[in-house]
Amino acid sequence: MKKLKNSELKRKDIAAFKQAKKTPLIVILDNIRSLNNIGSVFRTADAFLIEKIYLCGITATPPHKDIHKTALGATDSVDWEYVESTDKLLLHLQSKGIKIVSIEQVENSIMLQDFETVNDTTYALVFGNEVKGVQQSVVDASDYCVEIPQYGTKHSFNISVSAGIVMWDFFKKMKLHQ
């Protein structure tokens, strides 16, 4: 096996990315503190052709050198918007038929491997603050709460790791429906 050079990967340029059919997934970052986590989520969103990222509350916005350090230009390819209130954003998205999925450990959560996507449905995945998680008001407004199973001693994943796991899982399940 030969390791491929970047030029051999045949990736889209930004114009082609903007024109490409997107995965019907939206990412909502709810009060994320770490600029590196924000940048990592942008980079993962680019990889899976995510429709849009909403940056809410205290979540920083591009341009910022610490976001750019991990996003590596994905802030230019992935559409994004800042919205101060996550609660108001959820109401707006739900009025458009978008299903809200908070990634959080709650009573009666659905384990990620057990969540089934539905054809012709757009999902908004909510990822919460590194310490406090997804706000309770956001959990209350969610259509679903999904939990990533864990079997070790720690209680959570880093938010950028959670985002990568969940985006990949939803991407894979949604591609099976096409």
Side-chain angles (χ1 to χ4, degrees):
M1 285 186 254
K2 171 184 138 323
K3 183 176 173 180
L4 296 175
K5 297 176 186 170
N6 285 348
S7 61
E8 297 173 302
L9 295 176
K10 298 183 174 102
R11 297 292 191 250
K12 293 171 177 42
D13 61 18
I14 291 176
F17 182 95
K18 295 285 189 187
Q19 296 299 315
K21 181 180 179 194
K22 301 298 185 289
T23 306
L25 281 175
I26 293 167
V27 170
I28 300 171
L29 298 183
D30 181 32
N31 291 304
I32 303 302
R33 297 176 314 168
S34 166
L35 299 158
N36 290 324
N37 282 337
I38 297 164
S40 293
V41 171
F42 266 95
R43 192 164 161 191
T44 303
D46 175 280
F48 298 123
L49 286 168
I50 302 304
E51 280 186 18
K52 188 171 189 174
I53 296 176
Y54 285 97
L55 308 168
C56 301
I58 66 166
T59 307
T61 62
H64 192 286
K65 66 180 175 71
D66 289 332
I67 294 173
H68 179 73
K69 183 179 2 178
T70 50
L72 296 177
T75 55
D76 297 326
S77 56
V78 179
D79 287 341
W80 64 271
E81 181 180 341
Y82 175 79
V83 176
E84 185 174 352
S85 170
T86 307
D87 294 315
K88 289 180 183 175
L89 173 62
L90 298 188
L91 289 173
H92 169 71
L93 294 175
Q94 286 172 320
S95 75
K96 295 169 57 175
I98 295 169
K99 297 298 182 187
I100 308 300
V101 182
S102 284
I103 310 306
E104 189 56 88
Q105 298 162 332
V106 301
E107 290 177 330
N108 302 313
S109 60
I110 302 168
M111 288 296 161
L112 180 60
Q113 71 271 17
D114 298 327
F115 187 86
E116 295 183 18
T117 60
V118 177
N119 286 343
D120 302 319
T121 301
T122 299
Y123 295 93
L125 307 173
V126 183
F127 298 94
N129 178 273
E130 292 89 342
V131 175
K132 297 178 182 177
V134 178
Q135 301 175 61
Q136 185 63 51
S137 63
V138 172
V139 167
D140 293 342
S142 297
D143 296 296
Y144 308 97
C145 286
V146 169
E147 182 176 340
I148 304 168
Q150 297 173 67
Y151 304 100
T153 62
K154 298 302 163 202
H155 300 287
S156 65
F157 289 102
N158 175 283
I159 186 269
S160 65
V161 172
S162 292
I165 292 168
V166 174
M167 280 190 260
W168 164 245
D169 187 76
F170 271 70
F171 176 83
K172 181 176 59 169
K173 288 172 180 172
M174 295 172 102
K175 288 297 178 192
L176 290 175
H177 293 308
Q178 291 184 351

